[in-house]
C-alpha cells in the first residue's frame, strides 16, 4: 500500500513499509519500548519512518497511555554559567529515554517560580527537576505533600525527604582552606552565598569547621554573607570585608561569580591578586583559566550532576514508592594563578 501523498503518513503506513505489525512499529518508534524488539527490526522501522517523513503523534500517545513523556526543569538563573552544563546533562539522559524537557527560569523570584511550576503542571509533566530550592521553601513542601515527583539538584530543602543530587560542597571548601593554609595563610576570609540556601549554608559551615580544625583565625568579621550568588554581590561583600580591616590575606568565595566580584574590587582599589590577596572560587565555570590571574577554584561535575538527577527522576517515575535518597558527587580543587603564599 502506498500512502496518500496528500495526507500525513500514519503508523500503519510505516508498519506496512517495514513489513511488520503496527504494534511492532509502535514499539520500534518509542525509545522506552524499543529494546523489546530486535535491533535489526527497529532499524528497519526507523528507516521506513524516516523515508515516509512520519512524525509520531505525542498528544495521541499521551491520551492513550496517560503519560506525556515530559519533565520540567526549574532553573533559578539561566545567565549563571553553571546551569548550561547541568541542562545538557539532564537532556542527555532524558532524551535517550524518550522524554522531552520543559525548561523554565524563575529569576530567583518566588511568585514567578510558583507561576512557572503551575504552568509545567498544567502541561502534565511527569516530574520536576528543581534547582531553585531554599532551606525554607513552602512551595516545594506543598508540592511534596501533593505527591509531585521531584528531584532537587545542587541544593536541598530543610527536613523534607526529597531526592537530591549535589556536589560534595563540604569537601571542596575544606580542600580550598587546606590549600591556602599550606601556602602559609592564617587569616582567611569567606564570602558566603545566601545562607537561605543549603549550598550557602553547607559551604559556610564547612569553612568554619576547616578553619577551626587547622587552628586558624576564626573571627566572625572574616565572614561576609552575599545576598545573591552574583558578581555584584560578591563585589559588595569584598568592599565590606576590606572596610572591616581584618588583615586577611586570602578569600574563599562562595562561588565563582562572587570571586569575580572580588576581582572587580581589586581593580577599583589598585590591589594585586595574589600578591595582596589570594582568592579561591567554587564551581569551575568556563573561561576561568582566561582571567588574569586565572582563578583557583573547586570544580563541580555539573554535566554529571544533571545526568544523575535525570536518572534519579526516571527511577522515581518508574518506582513511585522508592525511598528518597541523596547523592553526593566528588569535587576537586583546580589550582591556578589566583593563590600564592602571603607577603612576608
Amino acid at each position: 500500500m502506498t500512502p496518500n501523498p496528500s495526507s500525513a503518513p500514519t503508523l500503519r503506513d510505516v508498519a506496512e513499509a517495514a513489513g511488520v505489525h503496527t504494534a511492532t512499529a509502535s514499539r520500534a518508534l518509542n525509545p522506552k519500548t524499543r529494546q523489546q524488539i530486535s535491533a535489526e527490526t527497529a532499524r528497519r522501522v526507523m528507516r521506513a519512518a524516516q523515508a515516509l517523513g512520519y512524525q509520531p503523534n505525542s498528544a495521541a500517545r499521551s491520551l492513550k497511555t496517560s503519560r506525556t513523556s515530559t519533565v520540567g526543569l526549574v532553573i533559578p538563573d539561566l545567565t549563571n554559567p553553571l546551569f548550561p552544563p547541568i541542562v545538557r546533562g539532564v537532556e542527555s539522559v532524558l532524551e535517550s529515554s524518550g522524554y522531552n524537557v520543559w525548561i523554565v527560569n524563575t529569576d530567583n523570584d518566588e511568585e514567578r517560580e510558583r507561576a512557572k511550576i503551575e504552568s509545567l503542571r498544567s502541561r502534565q509533566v511527569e516530574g520536576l527537576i528543581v534547582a531553585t530550592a531554599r532551606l525554607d521553601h513552602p512551595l516545594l513542601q506543598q508540592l511534596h505533600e501533593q505527591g509531585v515527583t521531584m528531584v532537587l539538584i545542587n541544593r536541598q530543602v530543610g527536613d523534607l525527604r526529597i531526592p537530591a543530587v549535589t556536589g560534595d560542597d563540604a569537601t571542596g571548601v575544606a580542600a580550598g582552606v587546606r590549600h591556602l593554609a599550606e601556602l602559609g595563610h592564617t587569616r582567611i576570609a569567606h564570602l558566603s552565598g545566601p545562607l537561605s540556601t543549603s549550598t550557602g549554608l553547607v559551604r559556610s559551615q564547612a569553612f568554619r569547621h576547616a578553619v577551626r580544625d587547622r587552628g586558624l583565625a576564626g573571627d566572625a568579621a572574616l565572614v561576609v554573607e552575599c545576598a545573591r550568588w552574583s558578581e555584584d554581590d560578591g563585589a559588595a561583600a569584598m568592599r565590606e570585608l576590606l572596610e572591616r580591616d581584618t588583615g586577611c590575606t586570602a578569600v574563599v568565595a562562595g562561588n565563582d561569580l562572587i570571586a569575580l566580584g572580588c576581582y572587580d574590587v581589586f581593580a577599583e582599589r589598585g590591589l594585586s591578586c595574589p600578591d595582596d590577596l589570594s582568592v579561591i572560587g567554587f564551581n569551575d565555570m568556563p573561561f576561568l583559566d582566561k582571567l588574569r590571574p586565572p582563578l583557583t577554584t573547586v570544580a563541580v561535575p555539573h554535566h554529571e550532576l544533571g545526568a544523575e538527577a535525570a536518572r534519579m527522576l526516571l527511577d522515581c517515575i518508574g518506582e513511585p514508592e522508592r525511598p528518597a535518597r541523596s547523592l553526593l558527587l566528588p569535587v576537586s580543587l583546580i589550582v591556578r594563578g589566583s593563590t600564592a603564599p602571603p607577603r612576608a
Side-chain angles (χ1 to χ4, degrees):
M1 174 182 174
T2 302
N4 184 348
S6 64
S7 61
T10 66
L11 182 62
R12 181 173 294 178
D13 296 333
V14 174
E16 291 188 1
V20 299
H21 191 275
T22 305
T24 302
S26 177
R27 292 190 187 96
L29 295 172
N30 185 348
K32 297 179 184 177
T33 56
R34 190 171 295 153
Q35 71 278 5
Q36 298 176 10
I37 61 176
S38 71
E40 173 55 36
T41 299
R43 283 194 292 269
R44 191 164 75 247
V45 171
M46 287 188 284
R47 283 196 297 266
Q50 185 175 16
L52 292 172
Y54 173 75
Q55 292 293 325
N57 188 332
S58 58
R61 178 183 291 169
S62 66
L63 286 172
K64 183 177 180 181
T65 64
S66 299
R67 304 285 289 272
T68 62
S69 296
T70 58
V71 163
L73 175 57
V74 186
I75 300 294
D77 179 10
L78 276 174
T79 65
N80 187 327
L82 78 86
F83 287 112
I86 288 177
V87 172
R88 292 292 299 272
V90 169
E91 288 185 329
S92 67
V93 170
L94 292 179
E95 288 179 357
S96 66
S97 298
Y99 280 81
N100 291 312
V101 184
W102 291 94
I103 302 171
V104 297
N105 176 58
T106 71
D107 287 333
N108 287 299
D109 181 273
E110 293 183 32
E111 289 306 312
R112 179 179 172 87
E113 177 188 55
R114 182 175 291 275
K116 291 296 183 181
I117 289 179
E118 286 177 0
S119 175
L120 290 172
R121 296 188 69 193
S122 73
R123 288 175 166 80
Q124 305 297 313
V125 295
E126 294 185 34
L128 298 173
I129 296 176
V130 181
T132 57
R134 299 178 301 280
L135 288 170
D136 180 20
H137 205 132
L139 175 58
L140 292 188
Q141 182 169 351
Q142 176 186 338
L143 295 173
H144 180 62
E145 291 169 353
Q146 292 172 352
V148 174
T149 302
M150 287 185 294
V151 169
L152 305 182
I153 188 168
N154 202 46
R155 299 183 187 175
Q156 294 181 300
V157 176
D159 298 326
L160 291 182
R161 294 286 296 162
I162 301 177
V165 181
T166 62
D168 190 350
D169 291 333
T171 296
V173 170
V177 171
R178 180 176 66 249
H179 169 63
L180 292 171
E182 289 174 350
L183 288 173
H185 294 276
T186 59
R187 294 190 65 78
I188 303 171
H190 179 49
L191 305 186
S192 81
L195 300 183
S196 59
T197 65
S198 65
T199 316
L201 184 63
V202 168
R203 292 178 188 173
S204 181
Q205 290 175 336
F207 173 80
R208 294 176 189 275
H209 292 159
V211 165
R212 181 196 63 203
D213 291 347
R214 293 195 164 267
L216 305 177
D219 302 356
L222 288 168
V223 177
V224 182
E225 179 185 357
C226 296
R228 295 177 300 166
W229 298 96
S230 72
E231 184 175 346
D232 287 346
D233 284 80
M238 188 70 223
R239 292 186 194 102
E240 182 176 339
L241 179 67
L242 292 175
E243 288 165 6
R244 293 180 182 181
D245 195 21
T246 61
C248 69
T249 58
V251 173
V252 176
N255 74 351
D256 293 332
L257 291 176
I258 292 173
L260 289 183
C262 296
Y263 276 41
D264 295 339
V265 176
F266 296 159
E268 288 174 7
R269 305 287 177 94
L271 298 173
S272 173
C273 175
D275 294 337
D276 294 312
L277 279 165
S278 290
V279 178
I280 292 180
F282 206 109
N283 279 329
D284 196 25
M285 300 184 321
F287 309 117
L288 294 182
D289 57 328
K290 304 298 189 292
L291 297 177
R292 290 294 173 266
L295 182 65
T296 296
T297 188
V298 176
V300 179
H302 291 112
H303 186 279
E304 191 59 24
L305 211 65
E308 289 294 346
R311 294 185 189 105
M312 191 176 286
L313 185 67
L314 291 175
D315 288 344
C316 294
I317 291 172
E319 300 178 58
E321 303 306 316
R322 185 188 183 105
R325 62 190 179 95
S326 293
L327 179 63
L328 275 181
L329 296 187
V331 300
S332 56
L333 181 69
I334 308 297
V335 177
R336 298 191 179 105
S338 66
T339 51
R343 281 178 171 169

